Amino acid sequence: MSTDYFLNLILILAGLANFACIGAGIQIPKVLDWKNDLQKIHPFSRKIFLNYYFYVGLMIFSWGVISLFLRKELLAGGPLAIAILVIMLLFWLIRIVVDFFFFDATDWPKGKYFQFGHIILTGTFFCLVVAYSIVLSSLVF
């Protein structure tokens, strides 16, 4: 198995993992009953919150598209490819840090379904950090 094949495979899997995160994110409003919860906050705050939700979703969707359909450009290296890989890596690394140091485990919804989902999501975030680190390091070192 060549290095190029391996790196392409990593980016394909990373792209699919980003789309899996989108799939999980789409379920959040219904599962967490945002319709009722968001009615309790000021309309402007609600709009800001939803705006951020869609922007984060757009970024994750973009990482998936870039990872799947612009693999050749990423693997060609260059300053822009390296910058994008650093941004994707930092995005997911910060997400893990937020999970461990900002979110409180007691805040998570109760039940095995949510515990399992949390473990799978955090594992996916970790795999994305590893994937982008491998690709980035292959270009930089």
Side-chain angles (χ1 to χ4, degrees), residues 13-27:
L13 294 173
L16 295 173
N18 278 283
F19 289 130
C21 291
I22 290 291
I26 288 170
Q27 298 176 52

Side-chain angles (χ1 to χ4, degrees), residues 20 24 47 64 68 78 82 90 111 123 125:
K47 289 176 184 175
L68 282 175
I82 290 170
L90 288 175
F125 304 156

Side-chain angles (χ1 to χ4, degrees), residues 93-105 108 118 122-123 125-126:
L93 183 62
I94 290 168
R95 179 58 184 85
I96 293 170
V97 170
V98 165
D99 192 47
F100 284 106
F101 297 106
F102 181 70
F103 293 140
D104 189 330
W108 276 83
H118 184 214
T122 305
F125 304 156
F126 179 78

Side-chain angles (χ1 to χ4, degrees), residues 1 8 12 15-16 18 24 46 50 53 55 59 65-66 72 89-90 103 106 114 118 132:
M1 184 182 324
N8 266 288
I12 290 168
L16 295 173
N18 278 283
R46 181 172 48 251
L50 292 172
Y53 171 76
Y55 271 107
M59 295 312 304
V65 169
I66 291 168
K72 181 180 174 184
L89 169 62
L90 288 175
F103 293 140
T106 60
F114 292 108
H118 184 214
Y132 293 127

Side-chain angles (χ1 to χ4, degrees), residues 38 41-55:
L38 293 180
I41 63 175
H42 190 276
F44 186 69
S45 295
R46 181 172 48 251
K47 289 176 184 175
I48 290 173
F49 179 85
L50 292 172
N51 182 46
Y52 290 161
Y53 171 76
F54 286 110
Y55 271 107

Side-chain angles (χ1 to χ4, degrees), residues 70-136:
L70 298 173
R71 294 186 314 276
K72 181 180 174 184
E73 290 80 357
L74 285 176
L75 294 175
L80 183 58
I82 290 170
I84 290 172
L85 286 163
V86 167
I87 291 167
M88 291 190 292
L89 169 62
L90 288 175
F91 180 92
W92 290 113
L93 183 62
I94 290 168
R95 179 58 184 85
I96 293 170
V97 170
V98 165
D99 192 47
F100 284 106
F101 297 106
F102 181 70
F103 293 140
D104 189 330
T106 60
D107 293 336
W108 276 83
K110 306 298 181 238
K112 291 183 181 186
Y113 173 79
F114 292 108
Q115 288 176 334
F116 180 72
H118 184 214
I119 291 167
I120 294 298
L121 275 175
T122 305
T124 302
F125 304 156
F126 179 78
C127 288
L128 285 161
V129 168
V130 170
Y132 293 127
S133 294
I134 290 170
V135 175
L136 182 62

